[in-house]
Amino acid sequence: MKQTGLRAIRAPLSATQRLVLGIGSFVLPLLLWCAVSYLPFVWHPLVLVSDPGGVDYFEPGMRVEAGVFADEVKAMRESGAALPQGVPANPVYLPAPHEVAQAFYTGFTTPPEQKDAPWLHQSLWHSMQIIFWGFLISSLIGVPLGILCGTYSALARLHEPFIEFFRYLPAPAFGALAVAILGIHDGPKIAIIVIGTLFQQVLIVANTTRQLDHSLLEAAMTMGNRGARLLLKVVVPGILPQLYRDQRVLLGWAWTYLIVAELIGTSSGITFFITQQARYQHFDKVYAAILMIGLIGLGIDLLLAWLGRRLFPWLPPRSQH
Amino acid sequence: MFFKALTQRLTRGFQALVVTSALLGSQASGAAEPLKIGYSDWPGWVAWQVAIEKDWFKQAGVAVKFEWFDYSASMEAFAAGKIDAVTVTNGDALVTGAGGAKSVMIMLTDYSNGNDMIVGRPGIKSLQDLKGKKVAVEAGLVEHLLLLNGLKKAGMKESDVTLVNAKTNEMPQVLASGEVAAVGAWQPIAGQAIKAVPGARPLLTSADEPGLIYDVLTVNPASLANRKADWQKVVAVWDKVVAYIEDPKTQPDAVKIMAARVGVPPATYTQFLKGTKLLSLAEGKKVMVKAEGFKSLYGSSQIADDFNVKNGVYKTPQKVDTYIDPSLTNAAAK
């Protein structure tokens, strides 16, 4: 009994279905957000005061709980003073989609207020450089070490217990230490990304290497391959597609450490923008900045996925989004 | 073959990276090395931005590099010896010093004049109303001191309220949650808390006790000893800054520069300035005279030291006199 249709388990999807569902995965949350923002009867627990009327502590632009507002209207009516005016509103931390879209656009088009301050795209570029160097340094150590650990059991035993222990230590906790050693600019930020990525990387790459078909190794050794030759000619090519996929996942991992990394030392990059705007409750700009990070991360990932299909055309197209 | 080339290229890139970072990080100890000063988001310190953008340090013949931080990150960088000076409250200079990074306060920037507050929920009208209720402050920081000092003046005991420890940045949400009757925070956070809970009002502000919280520029003792002449020039620039901010003719431009540094509209920033009393060097000179009580930086720091020891912020009382050097302010004051 073969199942078909969308409810079938692990059934292959047609190209059209994939596209529609893919778009839907973005459109559905957006619709929900629009509903909450634009339909006052859905949520809107507060009232945005436009005219304080006779209420002494109201100010234009203040958000008041609907119950409090109703009480004050009643009180003013009884005392015969001017009634406060207002419209239903959401809390300040949930701006409407069009406000975020506006903030997104103006973020790139407004020049920085301050002389010598970076433009938003310069801040983003700076953040991307931090990620790049952090991930590069981590990979230069992590990938070779992972491959060696996955190939030689003795090496694995020597490294992995300590790495297992170390990967549970929270990277952000090394912030002050990184500043003390590496200064206040980009050094400690890159170090946090390295600490956050490296230890996972060694373990994941080692695991991937262990998945390599043992008969390949035996065949190669029968022909007299040992050591570096065996690693470079058999092991590395054998795991390359899976290694590429691991690196994609790990790069996403590195991105998640960006915000903690940039809080260390001098304020810089996109994180400075986010924390500063959050402090003054400009949440539309905060969401816009978070969106930018998400879009850049997703963009790079899609690019790498496309590149992966070109690099390893012999792989089945499974698990490729 | 391919891998060999790749690894070679990567090693070369990596070597280049290491060399450049070594060059950048190297401490060339020449007199040309700019003085590194950490500053953060507080009106009395953002004021330096005016001097930075007007090139007044260059005119004074001193090379400085101001580094912008989050407040706590700036203290960390100073404690790690990565910057020569930092802008802090006089109490936090003692805390950093007790932790091993001794510093010397060479000038005052301002005292808090209303920007630090204890904000009560609607219906709480005075400190007396807090009796038997919960109050959130960040333990060991200035609002904690402000609250205890206010309770004492109101004839109440510390045990009359239950203190809840929370992060200053999160106070608006803490107050809105209704779990506590009042919170302690400084601007702009205090203002956000008042906005978040309509009807909330300040029960006590630093304007009720001027001098409880002084803000200073504090310097690494070694840097001060080696480059006293340069620090003297830095201090001398301050009067120009205060004059530019307080002169009605130039104030709009000054506020524009400061607001741009922290990313808010200028109108918002004018309000934060109101709660900060900038001190000219002549005013600072009067405060840097040994005396008891809040009128003197010595007295105020002594009170902060007693508070810190009593509340376990650190164990050993600090020698307050060794933390203050009025000579540069005295020499520059007109």
Side-chain angles (χ1 to χ4, degrees):
Chain A
M1 152 110 197
K2 191 173 180 309
Q3 290 179 302
T4 49
L6 292 178
R7 294 189 49 201
I9 292 171
R10 289 206 181 168
L13 296 169
S14 73
T16 328
Q17 282 173 329
R18 282 171 54 88
L19 187 70
V20 169
L21 291 170
I23 293 170
S25 82
F26 280 93
V27 170
L28 287 176
L30 195 63
L31 280 176
L32 187 69
W33 184 18
C34 287
V36 172
S37 299
Y38 299 131
L39 303 172
F41 55 86
V42 176
W43 193 35
H44 287 57
L46 305 177
V47 174
L48 181 64
V49 177
S50 53
D51 174 6
V55 186
D56 55 359
Y57 66 86
F58 278 11
E59 290 167 21
M62 197 182 229
R63 288 165 199 260
V64 197
E65 280 169 36
V68 174
F69 189 81
D71 290 346
E72 291 295 348
V73 170
K74 213 170 95 192
M76 291 301 118
R77 194 168 282 137
E78 279 161 10
S79 65
L83 298 184
Q85 306 292 325
V87 288
N90 276 333
V92 71
Y93 58 78
L94 189 76
H98 74 275
E99 290 169 339
V100 175
Q102 247 167 356
F104 195 105
Y105 175 75
T106 51
F108 287 102
T109 52
T110 19
E113 292 270 341
Q114 200 202 322
K115 225 169 50 175
D116 320 324
W119 282 71
L120 184 58
H121 63 262
Q122 289 168 316
S123 293
L124 276 168
W125 179 236
H126 186 248
S127 297
M128 284 171 75
Q129 284 172 310
I130 300 270
I131 293 274
F132 171 79
W133 286 115
F135 191 68
L136 180 72
I137 293 170
S138 173
S139 298
L140 286 177
I141 307 166
V143 173
L145 191 59
I147 292 174
L148 287 171
C149 286
T151 314
Y152 300 106
S153 309
L155 265 182
R157 195 63 204 147
L158 185 64
H159 287 97
E160 285 186 10
F162 177 74
I163 290 172
E164 282 279 7
F165 154 75
F166 211 97
R167 89 188 161 109
Y168 284 103
L169 305 186
F174 291 91
L177 183 69
V179 167
I181 299 171
L182 297 167
I184 51 178
H185 295 290
D186 292 353
K189 301 175 206 268
I190 293 172
I192 293 300
I193 299 212
V194 172
I195 293 173
T197 316
L198 176 64
F199 300 98
Q200 315 286 349
Q201 197 168 23
V202 175
L203 295 173
I204 288 175
V205 172
N207 240 341
T208 295
T209 313
R210 281 192 204 103
Q211 310 287 327
L212 187 65
D213 194 346
H214 205 267
S215 53
L216 276 178
L217 291 174
E218 281 179 353
M221 286 194 285
T222 317
M223 297 177 183
N225 286 298
R226 289 278 178 283
R229 232 180 117 73
L230 182 75
L231 281 174
L232 291 179
K233 296 282 183 214
V234 182
V235 177
V236 173
I239 63 165
L240 208 50
Q242 185 54 44
L243 181 66
Y244 184 83
R245 217 171 279 154
D246 288 344
Q247 289 289 78
R248 256 179 64 198
V249 173
L250 284 158
L251 182 60
W253 198 293
W255 270 98
T256 57
Y257 276 99
L258 176 69
I259 296 289
V260 237
E262 287 193 326
L263 285 174
I264 292 158
T266 48
S267 308
S268 74
I270 192 71
T271 310
F272 166 64
F273 181 82
I274 291 180
T275 48
Q276 199 71 7
Q277 296 303 338
R279 177 170 299 163
Y280 293 97
Q281 307 234 329
H282 299 161
F283 285 104
D284 48 352
K285 292 181 180 163
V286 173
Y287 282 99
I290 293 173
L291 260 177
M292 287 169 204
I293 295 180
L295 287 173
I296 293 173
L298 182 71
I300 291 176
D301 193 64
L302 287 174
L303 187 73
L304 290 175
W306 175 85
L307 199 65
R309 283 199 294 275
R310 294 284 169 290
L311 285 174
F312 314 111
W314 63 90
L315 287 187
R318 68 174 180 90
S319 77
Q320 291 177 349
H321 311 298
Chain B
M1 200 55 239
F2 163 74
F3 279 108
K4 218 171 179 175
L6 187 73
T7 40
Q8 260 176 2
R9 201 169 306 164
L10 282 177
T11 1
R12 241 175 257 148
F14 189 63
Q15 276 168 343
L17 171 76
V18 171
V19 171
T20 33
S21 55
L23 281 176
L24 286 174
S26 71
Q27 298 281 334
S29 56
E33 179 83 0
L35 298 168
K36 288 199 283 296
I37 304 173
Y39 69 139
S40 49
D41 190 356
W42 171 263
W45 304 330
V46 176
W48 286 114
Q49 194 66 32
V50 176
I52 297 167
E53 303 209 358
K54 301 278 173 200
D55 274 337
W56 289 341
F57 292 108
K58 207 178 277 169
Q59 288 168 24
V62 56
V64 292
K65 184 153 181 9
F66 273 83
E67 301 279 7
W68 181 257
F69 287 94
D70 253 16
Y71 182 50
S72 51
S74 72
M75 289 195 280
E76 257 173 34
F78 181 80
K82 299 291 168 188
I83 46 181
D84 303 313
V86 63
T87 53
V88 287
T89 68
N90 58 331
D92 286 332
L94 300 175
V95 175
T96 314
K102 182 80 200 310
S103 68
V104 182
M105 310 182 214
I106 59 168
M107 61 166 289
L108 291 138
T109 55
D110 63 280
Y111 63 75
S112 173
N113 192 23
N115 265 356
D116 291 88
M117 317 181 183
I118 306 295
V119 178
R121 278 188 69 78
I124 305 269
K125 293 196 169 51
S126 71
L127 286 180
Q128 275 83 2
D129 294 354
L130 292 175
K131 207 175 165 79
K133 297 198 166 69
K134 285 185 184 160
V135 182
V137 289
E138 190 161 356
L141 292 196
V142 286
E143 264 59 18
H144 189 177
L145 174 62
L146 177 71
L147 175 69
L148 297 188
N149 190 56
L151 289 175
K152 203 162 83 184
K153 281 177 93 175
M156 297 165 69
K157 296 192 299 296
E158 224 176 296
S159 55
D160 287 342
V161 296
T162 313
L163 290 182
V164 178
N165 189 6
K167 279 257 169 276
T168 303
N169 268 335
E170 289 159 11
M171 287 303 174
Q173 294 85 309
V174 174
L175 188 68
S177 74
E179 307 260 329
V180 295
V183 298
W186 55 80
Q187 289 287 30
I189 301 152
Q192 303 292 0
I194 292 173
K195 254 211 230 145
V197 185
R201 67 194 78 202
L203 310 173
L204 168 76
T205 75
S206 47
D208 302 323
E209 190 60 271
L212 176 73
I213 304 162
Y214 282 111
D215 296 298
V216 299
L217 176 69
T218 196
V219 183
N220 177 319
S223 173
L224 181 60
N226 294 332
R227 307 184 54 180
K228 199 150 193 168
D230 284 339
W231 286 114
Q232 184 67 64
K233 288 174 187 163
V234 171
V235 171
V237 169
W238 182 247
D239 264 352
K240 263 175 128 170
V241 173
V242 176
Y244 198 80
I245 294 173
E246 295 195 333
D247 182 348
K249 280 203 286 292
T250 48
Q251 192 176 50
D253 184 42
V255 169
K256 203 175 119 228
I257 291 172
M258 292 165 75
R261 169 71 275 188
V262 301
V264 297
T268 318
Y269 211 80
T270 312
Q271 288 191 315
F272 300 152
L273 262 185
K274 281 191 196 123
T276 311
K277 172 70 184 84
L278 293 174
L279 295 168
S280 68
L281 292 170
E283 289 165 322
K285 183 179 168 178
K286 289 193 194 108
V287 174
M288 287 179 111
V289 172
K290 268 190 210 184
E292 297 276 309
F294 291 123
K295 289 277 175 285
S296 150
L297 179 62
Y298 289 87
S300 168
S301 302
Q302 192 54 59
I303 291 165
D305 183 54
D306 296 344
F307 165 85
N308 288 338
V309 173
K310 188 162 168 259
N311 286 287
V313 179
Y314 50 75
K315 286 197 180 61
T316 330
Q318 301 295 300
K319 294 194 182 68
V320 167
D321 289 7
T322 63
Y323 276 87
I324 302 170
D325 179 356
S327 66
L328 286 82
T329 298
N330 293 346
K334 301 200 171 46

